[in-house]
Amino acid sequence: MNEWHASLSQVQGYQRLMGMPLSKEIPLSILPTILGEAFPTGWIHLSQQCEKMTSLYADTFYNWAITDKHLSITSKGKTVCQLTVALSRNKQVVATVVMTLMKG
């Protein structure tokens, strides 16, 4: 398992940029940005779908693991990968992120 956390300054900087109210709660839309280390080298992030089971907070440590991975080839020969990343705290999954990536 890998460890991840977002600092309060990262979260609030993102909230300011997106015009959101400032809080300690992590917006789901920031997860793929911060979880960039889950991407294999040379892949480009295309889209994501996030689901949380509970609120996530800045300055809190979470574990993450890739729980599912599907590869496919487009009609133009590009490789597309769909990764499912689970975030957990105290061995309980608190959010999942499904990311679609394309080989750059």
Side-chain angles (χ1 to χ4, degrees):
M1 282 239 176
N2 301 289
E3 196 170 70
W4 169 82
H5 90 284
S7 70
L8 185 58
S9 63
Q10 281 179 305
V11 170
Q12 290 188 343
Y14 180 82
Q15 290 167 334
R16 272 189 211 89
L17 182 68
M18 302 306 282
M20 300 171 159
L22 298 183
S23 75
K24 206 176 165 179
E25 189 170 341
I26 298 171
L28 290 181
S29 55
I30 198 175
L31 290 179
T33 305
I34 295 173
L35 284 171
E37 60 191 89
F39 300 177
T41 304
W43 291 75
I44 300 167
H45 175 253
L46 297 177
S47 66
Q48 79 275 340
Q49 180 179 3
C50 305
E51 180 183 355
K52 67 178 178 178
M53 289 64 171
T54 186
S55 295
L56 304 176
Y57 294 99
D59 295 327
T60 302
F61 285 86
Y62 297 94
N63 292 311
W64 66 267
I66 296 172
T67 58
D68 198 17
K69 180 179 177 180
H70 293 282
L71 291 173
S72 59
I73 307 292
T74 68
S75 59
K76 295 190 178 192
K78 296 281 186 180
T79 304
V80 175
C81 178
Q82 189 174 56
L83 289 179
T84 302
V85 178
L87 281 165
S88 61
R89 179 152 170 80
N90 299 328
K91 298 184 181 181
Q92 215 164 24
V93 174
V94 294
T96 58
V97 182
V98 178
M99 295 182 277
T100 303
L101 311 170
M102 184 172 67
K103 187 71 169 173

